[in-house]
Amino acid sequence: MARIIIDGGHGGSDPGAVYEGRREKDDNLRLALEVGRILGENGIDVVYTRTDDVYQTPFEKAQLANQLGGDYFISFHRNSSPEDNQYSGVETLVYDRSGRKVEMAEAINRELEQAGFRDLGVKERPGLVVLRRTRMPALLIETGFLNTDADNTLFDQEFDSIAQGIARGILSVAGENVPTEEDIPAGENPPGENPPAGENPPAGERLYRVQVGAYRNRAYAEELLYQLQQEGFPAFIISEDGLFKVQVGAFRQLDNAVRMEAELRQKGYSTFIAS
């Protein structure tokens, strides 16, 4: 029996995207629980990262999934765009385009297209922690845009069809196959969110970090995060003061932070040192 870890994205103090009082974290959990219920009825061992409104960092979600030893990790989200009603559709994100996770992602998108959504495709996002740090094939489903009225109407009116379609897409792969090694990113990858592992100081000790950007829209922060990581910088995101802050490094010595800041500035980034 396959074990699937079901993750309702965001939660607690992190609402995710918000639009006219609607909170992404609520839609995510509702859909995650329903898909999990359907999978359970079809012989899948389902474990949830959360079943109520609690906050977990993405790194904690990945750690929990690894401890539980799932065969697949499925994270539920809803998208957001810079302007209301700017975009519409679904996309599923994967670490890379290898292995059966891509087959599963494509199957899910086809099912959601049948439910009425526009299929925006399967996209690589190696910078996302829940895709990068999980030790099993992982997918992140963006079920429409939260700040697009048409997608919200479809999400509400076709909710049962959406949940059933996602479950069918998952079962088309997980119901028959076990993941192979090619599904799992090799080696120990650096986190994309929260300070780098092993850098947390003793109580009262200061860490210096180089801040590269701060955004109210998480999507913008993730785009910068991905760009920095592609250039080899140990970047991560923290949520603080209502902003998603993109920072690099976590240094005990100020001189090290200054050197990192100089390197980032040479590449054209606008920076300052935070502590």
Side-chain angles (χ1 to χ4, degrees):
M1 178 189 299
R3 166 172 283 192
I4 294 181
I5 312 298
I6 297 288
D7 171 49
H10 304 288
S13 60
D14 177 12
V18 177
Y19 176 63
E20 295 184 347
R22 185 172 191 140
R23 302 179 300 183
E24 181 190 355
K25 66 175 183 178
D26 300 327
D27 284 358
N28 294 343
L29 182 59
R30 180 184 173 207
L31 185 57
L33 292 175
E34 181 60 15
V35 171
R37 184 190 67 78
I38 296 169
L39 292 175
E41 290 180 350
N42 284 272
I44 299 294
D45 179 16
V46 175
V47 182
Y48 301 94
T49 59
R50 69 181 182 101
T51 57
D52 53 15
D53 189 20
V54 297
Y55 174 69
Q56 303 152 309
T57 68
F59 188 65
E60 288 172 334
K61 290 173 182 286
Q63 284 184 314
L64 177 60
N66 293 337
Q67 291 168 3
L68 294 169
D71 296 305
Y72 293 90
F73 178 92
I74 314 291
S75 188
F76 289 81
H77 287 257
R78 298 203 61 203
N79 226 327
S80 181
S81 53
E83 298 179 14
D84 297 341
N85 297 297
Q86 183 179 15
Y87 300 121
S88 179
V90 298
E91 61 184 11
T92 300
L93 310 180
V94 293
Y95 179 82
D96 58 26
R97 295 192 66 85
S98 69
R100 301 193 60 86
K101 62 183 177 291
V102 177
E103 181 181 342
M104 182 183 289
E106 291 173 343
I108 290 169
N109 281 14
R110 285 195 299 270
E111 292 285 351
L112 290 174
E113 188 175 28
Q114 289 293 316
F117 284 108
R118 179 186 176 194
D119 181 2
L120 300 178
V122 176
K123 300 179 181 178
E124 294 183 349
R125 292 296 295 273
L128 295 180
V129 171
V130 293
L131 304 181
R132 190 180 182 95
R133 297 287 289 185
T134 42
R135 299 192 190 114
M136 70 279 298
L139 291 76
L140 189 152
I141 307 169
E142 298 274 18
T143 315
F145 284 77
L146 190 86
N147 61 341
T148 294
D149 294 327
D151 280 5
N152 286 338
T153 298
L154 186 60
F155 187 94
D156 294 336
Q157 293 183 352
E158 300 297 328
F159 180 82
D160 290 342
S161 297
I162 291 166
Q164 291 165 9
I166 292 173
R168 281 195 299 270
I170 294 170
L171 287 166
S172 70
V173 176
E176 304 172 1
N177 303 283
V178 294
T180 61
E181 289 184 2
E182 66 178 350
D183 286 289
I184 305 168
E188 185 69 15
N189 297 300
E193 229 164 304
N194 307 310
E199 290 292 334
N200 293 326
E205 185 176 343
R206 174 181 293 181
L207 283 182
Y208 299 96
R209 304 181 177 98
V210 183
Q211 186 157 308
V212 188
Y215 305 90
R216 294 195 180 278
N217 188 310
R218 185 185 185 89
Y220 295 161
E222 289 180 347
E223 287 179 8
L224 179 56
L225 171 73
Y226 179 67
Q227 178 179 326
L228 288 163
Q229 290 184 334
Q230 288 295 96
E231 295 181 23
F233 291 105
F236 54 91
I237 294 174
I238 64 170
S239 178
E240 185 178 66
D241 303 325
L243 296 171
F244 296 104
K245 299 180 179 181
V246 184
Q247 299 183 345
V248 174
F251 304 98
R252 291 189 173 90
Q253 299 298 320
L254 178 58
D255 288 349
N256 293 333
V258 169
R259 282 193 289 271
M260 176 63 77
E261 183 183 33
E263 183 178 351
L264 286 160
R265 285 183 177 271
Q266 285 180 350
K267 290 184 174 289
Y269 292 104
S270 177
T271 65
F272 71 89
I273 295 177
S275 60

PDB file of all heavy atoms in Angstrom, residues 47-62:
ATOM      1  N   VAL A  47      -1.493  10.315   5.204  1.00  0.00           N
ATOM      2  CA  VAL A  47      -1.065  11.013   6.415  1.00  0.00           C
ATOM      3  C   VAL A  47      -1.041  12.504   6.090  1.00  0.00           C
ATOM      4  O   VAL A  47      -0.572  12.903   5.021  1.00  0.00           O
ATOM      5  CB  VAL A  47       0.323  10.556   6.892  1.00  0.00           C
ATOM      6  CG1 VAL A  47       0.710  11.279   8.174  1.00  0.00           C
ATOM      7  CG2 VAL A  47       0.351   9.051   7.092  1.00  0.00           C
ATOM      8  N   TYR A  48      -1.554  13.333   6.993  1.00  0.00           N
ATOM      9  CA  TYR A  48      -1.637  14.776   6.770  1.00  0.00           C
ATOM     10  C   TYR A  48      -0.554  15.515   7.561  1.00  0.00           C
ATOM     11  O   TYR A  48      -0.265  15.150   8.699  1.00  0.00           O
ATOM     12  CB  TYR A  48      -3.007  15.308   7.208  1.00  0.00           C
ATOM     13  CG  TYR A  48      -4.179  14.682   6.497  1.00  0.00           C
ATOM     14  CD1 TYR A  48      -4.846  13.596   7.056  1.00  0.00           C
ATOM     15  CD2 TYR A  48      -4.626  15.175   5.277  1.00  0.00           C
ATOM     16  CE1 TYR A  48      -5.929  13.021   6.417  1.00  0.00           C
ATOM     17  CE2 TYR A  48      -5.714  14.611   4.626  1.00  0.00           C
ATOM     18  CZ  TYR A  48      -6.359  13.522   5.199  1.00  0.00           C
ATOM     19  OH  TYR A  48      -7.424  12.956   4.559  1.00  0.00           O
ATOM     20  N   THR A  49      -0.022  16.581   6.953  1.00  0.00           N
ATOM     21  CA  THR A  49       0.877  17.442   7.724  1.00  0.00           C
ATOM     22  C   THR A  49       0.083  18.287   8.708  1.00  0.00           C
ATOM     23  O   THR A  49       0.594  18.660   9.768  1.00  0.00           O
ATOM     24  CB  THR A  49       1.687  18.370   6.809  1.00  0.00           C
ATOM     25  OG1 THR A  49       0.784  19.183   6.043  1.00  0.00           O
ATOM     26  CG2 THR A  49       2.575  17.562   5.868  1.00  0.00           C
ATOM     27  N   ARG A  50      -1.150  18.628   8.351  1.00  0.00           N
ATOM     28  CA  ARG A  50      -2.031  19.338   9.278  1.00  0.00           C
ATOM     29  C   ARG A  50      -3.479  19.013   8.931  1.00  0.00           C
ATOM     30  O   ARG A  50      -3.818  18.787   7.763  1.00  0.00           O
ATOM     31  CB  ARG A  50      -1.809  20.848   9.239  1.00  0.00           C
ATOM     32  CG  ARG A  50      -2.249  21.560   7.960  1.00  0.00           C
ATOM     33  CD  ARG A  50      -1.960  23.052   8.031  1.00  0.00           C
ATOM     34  NE  ARG A  50      -2.415  23.781   6.835  1.00  0.00           N
ATOM     35  CZ  ARG A  50      -3.521  24.501   6.756  1.00  0.00           C
ATOM     36  NH1 ARG A  50      -4.336  24.585   7.806  1.00  0.00           N
ATOM     37  NH2 ARG A  50      -3.844  25.144   5.649  1.00  0.00           N
ATOM     38  N   THR A  51      -4.311  18.984   9.967  1.00  0.00           N
ATOM     39  CA  THR A  51      -5.740  18.777   9.772  1.00  0.00           C
ATOM     40  C   THR A  51      -6.547  19.939  10.349  1.00  0.00           C
ATOM     41  O   THR A  51      -7.771  19.911  10.327  1.00  0.00           O
ATOM     42  CB  THR A  51      -6.204  17.467  10.436  1.00  0.00           C
ATOM     43  OG1 THR A  51      -5.859  17.500  11.830  1.00  0.00           O
ATOM     44  CG2 THR A  51      -5.550  16.269   9.784  1.00  0.00           C
ATOM     45  N   ASP A  52      -5.860  20.941  10.868  1.00  0.00           N
ATOM     46  CA  ASP A  52      -6.536  22.131  11.368  1.00  0.00           C
ATOM     47  C   ASP A  52      -5.660  23.351  11.080  1.00  0.00           C
ATOM     48  O   ASP A  52      -4.650  23.250  10.381  1.00  0.00           O
ATOM     49  CB  ASP A  52      -6.881  22.006  12.859  1.00  0.00           C
ATOM     50  CG  ASP A  52      -5.678  21.636  13.714  1.00  0.00           C
ATOM     51  OD1 ASP A  52      -4.534  21.757  13.231  1.00  0.00           O
ATOM     52  OD2 ASP A  52      -5.871  21.231  14.875  1.00  0.00           O
ATOM     53  N   ASP A  53      -6.021  24.474  11.635  1.00  0.00           N
ATOM     54  CA  ASP A  53      -5.386  25.744  11.275  1.00  0.00           C
ATOM     55  C   ASP A  53      -4.149  25.996  12.136  1.00  0.00           C
ATOM     56  O   ASP A  53      -4.192  26.762  13.103  1.00  0.00           O
ATOM     57  CB  ASP A  53      -6.401  26.876  11.431  1.00  0.00           C
ATOM     58  CG  ASP A  53      -5.892  28.192  10.866  1.00  0.00           C
ATOM     59  OD1 ASP A  53      -4.965  28.165  10.041  1.00  0.00           O
ATOM     60  OD2 ASP A  53      -6.430  29.248  11.252  1.00  0.00           O
ATOM     61  N   VAL A  54      -3.045  25.340  11.782  1.00  0.00           N
ATOM     62  CA  VAL A  54      -1.794  25.512  12.511  1.00  0.00           C
ATOM     63  C   VAL A  54      -0.709  25.953  11.534  1.00  0.00           C
ATOM     64  O   VAL A  54      -0.787  25.684  10.333  1.00  0.00           O
ATOM     65  CB  VAL A  54      -1.361  24.213  13.219  1.00  0.00           C
ATOM     66  CG1 VAL A  54      -2.385  23.813  14.262  1.00  0.00           C
ATOM     67  CG2 VAL A  54      -1.150  23.085  12.214  1.00  0.00           C
ATOM     68  N   TYR A  55       0.300  26.630  12.066  1.00  0.00           N
ATOM     69  CA  TYR A  55       1.412  27.096  11.230  1.00  0.00           C
ATOM     70  C   TYR A  55       2.590  26.141  11.327  1.00  0.00           C
ATOM     71  O   TYR A  55       2.969  25.716  12.417  1.00  0.00           O
ATOM     72  CB  TYR A  55       1.874  28.494  11.650  1.00  0.00           C
ATOM     73  CG  TYR A  55       3.107  28.945  10.900  1.00  0.00           C
ATOM     74  CD1 TYR A  55       3.035  29.241   9.543  1.00  0.00           C
ATOM     75  CD2 TYR A  55       4.340  29.032  11.541  1.00  0.00           C
ATOM     76  CE1 TYR A  55       4.168  29.628   8.836  1.00  0.00           C
ATOM     77  CE2 TYR A  55       5.481  29.422  10.833  1.00  0.00           C
ATOM     78  CZ  TYR A  55       5.379  29.722   9.487  1.00  0.00           C
ATOM     79  OH  TYR A  55       6.497  30.096   8.792  1.00  0.00           O
ATOM     80  N   GLN A  56       3.139  25.794  10.166  1.00  0.00           N
ATOM     81  CA  GLN A  56       4.385  25.040  10.086  1.00  0.00           C
ATOM     82  C   GLN A  56       5.227  25.697   8.998  1.00  0.00           C
ATOM     83  O   GLN A  56       4.702  26.070   7.950  1.00  0.00           O
ATOM     84  CB  GLN A  56       4.121  23.580   9.678  1.00  0.00           C
ATOM     85  CG  GLN A  56       3.163  22.820  10.588  1.00  0.00           C
ATOM     86  CD  GLN A  56       2.426  21.723   9.820  1.00  0.00           C
ATOM     87  OE1 GLN A  56       1.852  21.980   8.765  1.00  0.00           O
ATOM     88  NE2 GLN A  56       2.443  20.525  10.358  1.00  0.00           N
ATOM     89  N   THR A  57       6.523  25.830   9.253  1.00  0.00           N
ATOM     90  CA  THR A  57       7.373  26.329   8.179  1.00  0.00           C
ATOM     91  C   THR A  57       7.450  25.247   7.096  1.00  0.00           C
ATOM     92  O   THR A  57       7.274  24.048   7.378  1.00  0.00           O
ATOM     93  CB  THR A  57       8.788  26.628   8.677  1.00  0.00           C
ATOM     94  OG1 THR A  57       9.444  25.397   9.031  1.00  0.00           O
ATOM     95  CG2 THR A  57       8.762  27.572   9.880  1.00  0.00           C
ATOM     96  N   PRO A  58       7.727  25.632   5.856  1.00  0.00           N
ATOM     97  CA  PRO A  58       7.918  24.615   4.814  1.00  0.00           C
ATOM     98  C   PRO A  58       8.989  23.599   5.173  1.00  0.00           C
ATOM     99  O   PRO A  58       8.865  22.413   4.850  1.00  0.00           O
ATOM    100  CB  PRO A  58       8.300  25.441   3.584  1.00  0.00           C
ATOM    101  CG  PRO A  58       7.633  26.762   3.808  1.00  0.00           C
ATOM    102  CD  PRO A  58       7.747  27.007   5.293  1.00  0.00           C
ATOM    103  N   PHE A  59      10.045  24.050   5.845  1.00  0.00           N
ATOM    104  CA  PHE A  59      11.095  23.120   6.248  1.00  0.00           C
ATOM    105  C   PHE A  59      10.560  22.097   7.251  1.00  0.00           C
ATOM    106  O   PHE A  59      10.883  20.910   7.177  1.00  0.00           O
ATOM    107  CB  PHE A  59      12.269  23.886   6.848  1.00  0.00           C
ATOM    108  CG  PHE A  59      13.473  23.041   7.122  1.00  0.00           C
ATOM    109  CD1 PHE A  59      14.165  22.445   6.087  1.00  0.00           C
ATOM    110  CD2 PHE A  59      13.924  22.854   8.411  1.00  0.00           C
ATOM    111  CE1 PHE A  59      15.292  21.650   6.333  1.00  0.00           C
ATOM    112  CE2 PHE A  59      15.037  22.072   8.673  1.00  0.00           C
ATOM    113  CZ  PHE A  59      15.723  21.467   7.627  1.00  0.00           C
ATOM    114  N   GLU A  60       9.703  22.534   8.184  1.00  0.00           N
ATOM    115  CA  GLU A  60       9.096  21.600   9.141  1.00  0.00           C
ATOM    116  C   GLU A  60       8.193  20.603   8.427  1.00  0.00           C
ATOM    117  O   GLU A  60       8.145  19.423   8.795  1.00  0.00           O
ATOM    118  CB  GLU A  60       8.301  22.379  10.194  1.00  0.00           C
ATOM    119  CG  GLU A  60       9.172  23.130  11.184  1.00  0.00           C
ATOM    120  CD  GLU A  60       8.375  24.053  12.086  1.00  0.00           C
ATOM    121  OE1 GLU A  60       7.278  24.501  11.689  1.00  0.00           O
ATOM    122  OE2 GLU A  60       8.865  24.345  13.191  1.00  0.00           O
ATOM    123  N   LYS A  61       7.460  21.065   7.410  1.00  0.00           N
ATOM    124  CA  LYS A  61       6.606  20.154   6.639  1.00  0.00           C
ATOM    125  C   LYS A  61       7.447  19.078   5.959  1.00  0.00           C
ATOM    126  O   LYS A  61       7.091  17.891   5.966  1.00  0.00           O
ATOM    127  CB  LYS A  61       5.817  20.945   5.592  1.00  0.00           C
ATOM    128  CG  LYS A  61       4.733  21.856   6.147  1.00  0.00           C
ATOM    129  CD  LYS A  61       4.139  22.707   5.031  1.00  0.00           C
ATOM    130  CE  LYS A  61       3.081  23.673   5.537  1.00  0.00           C
ATOM    131  NZ  LYS A  61       1.830  23.011   5.883  1.00  0.00           N
ATOM    132  N   ALA A  62       8.564  19.487   5.364  1.00  0.00           N
ATOM    133  CA  ALA A  62       9.433  18.529   4.690  1.00  0.00           C
ATOM    134  C   ALA A  62      10.034  17.540   5.696  1.00  0.00           C
ATOM    135  O   ALA A  62      10.103  16.332   5.433  1.00  0.00           O
ATOM    136  CB  ALA A  62      10.534  19.258   3.939  1.00  0.00           C
TER     137      ALA A  62
END
